[in-house]
Every structure is written in structure tokens, then in C-alpha cells.
Amino acid sequence: MTVSKLYALPAERVDGKRQGYVTAVLREGERVCAIKCADENEREFFISPDDVMRTADAIIYRAEGKKCAKKPALRLNIAGYDGRGNFLGFVEDYVLSSYRIKSCIIGGKSYPFERVCLGDIAIVTDKNSAPAAIAAKDMFLQAVVGGK
């Protein structure tokens, strides 16, 4: 399953009492912690992956979960760079397996999620370079100091 597929599906509680659509897929580390939705009146609700029963034509779920709005969303179409600052393309999707994020597709190429640091941009480190968070900080400082 991919995150873009989740965004395309309507959400419906198994008893039919609440319906809505996906507005965000929230993560904690390498796992999806909640699917943020809104109903026809734009009231937000959250679905825990543990409460999802199936995702064929719609996200069918047992009950609403706890609010976890402080967690970052998996954003599509953000710019992706390697650890040296080279543009790789835009984030096209994330591949999920049992609601664990396995990979990130940037510019048509798949990268293991553990090598990707997400924020306003995505930074992919190679196996031998500094961790992604350090590379992101270095790129930011270079842009500020260098006046780019």
C-alpha cells in the first residue's frame, strides 16, 4: 500500500455512522500512528491503524482513535536532496507495509525510509555519509551563511 492510495480513499466507520475523507497520514518514527480525516462538516477525527479493518475501496474502521495532531504528516511533493545538496526530485509517495514506512519514492527512485530525513524538504543520505539530520543542518547553515 502507498500513502497516495490512502489519500484517495474515503473513510467509513463499520457501523456506517460516520464517513469522511483523509486529510493527512501522521507518523511517529517509521510507523503510521494515525490517519487524520474530516467528515462532511469538516470536523476532524483520527483513525488508529490498529482500528482499520480493510482498505479496498474505502478505509473501513472500527472506531475513532485518540487525537495525535502533534505528529508530523507524510507530505507528498516536497523537494528531495541527497546529503551533498544535489536535487533528486520531488517526493512522489511512501510505501507502507503493515503501516510501517518501508521506503520513500523521490524522483522516480525508491530510497529506504531509514535513510530519509523529512521536514520542509526530504534529505537522503548515502550509506557512508553523516546522518540525515546532520546533513540537513549543514545544508541549512550553508544556505544561510552562503547567502544562497
Side-chain angles (χ1 to χ4, degrees):
M1 160 144 338
T2 61
V3 168
S4 63
K5 182 178 179 185
L6 285 176
Y7 276 113
L9 295 175
E12 184 176 335
R13 195 162 63 192
V14 70
D15 62 9
K17 292 187 177 183
R18 191 166 202 183
Q19 297 177 346
Y21 58 93
V22 176
T23 61
V25 178
L26 306 177
R27 72 177 179 93
E28 184 170 21
E30 294 181 14
R31 69 176 184 83
V32 172
C33 63
I35 301 167
K36 183 178 176 183
C37 301
D39 62 18
E40 63 275 359
N41 295 319
E42 300 299 321
R43 290 181 299 223
E44 290 182 346
F45 61 97
F46 296 83
I47 303 170
S48 166
D50 295 334
D51 287 325
V52 174
M53 299 171 68
R54 67 178 183 273
T55 57
D57 329 350
I59 299 170
I60 306 299
Y61 66 97
R62 289 182 194 87
E64 289 81 15
K66 293 180 181 177
K67 183 177 182 178
C68 69
K70 298 273 184 197
K71 303 297 179 188
L74 289 170
R75 295 171 45 199
L76 301 174
N77 299 316
I78 60 174
Y81 297 89
D82 67 14
R84 293 174 190 84
N86 299 313
F87 180 69
L88 301 173
F90 292 95
V91 173
E92 297 168 12
D93 220 334
Y94 302 90
V95 177
L96 306 176
S97 176
S98 300
Y99 293 100
R100 286 216 165 289
I101 309 159
K102 295 297 182 183
S103 60
C104 180
I105 301 169
I106 302 174
K109 187 174 177 189
S110 182
Y111 297 92
F113 191 71
E114 61 269 7
R115 288 181 43 208
V116 178
C117 181
L118 295 173
D120 290 334
I121 61 171
I123 297 179
V124 180
T125 60
D126 60 24
K127 295 174 188 168
N128 301 323
S129 70
I134 294 171
K137 183 183 97 180
D138 290 346
M139 284 176 59
F140 172 76
L141 290 173
Q142 182 181 14
V144 170
V145 174
K148 295 181 182 180

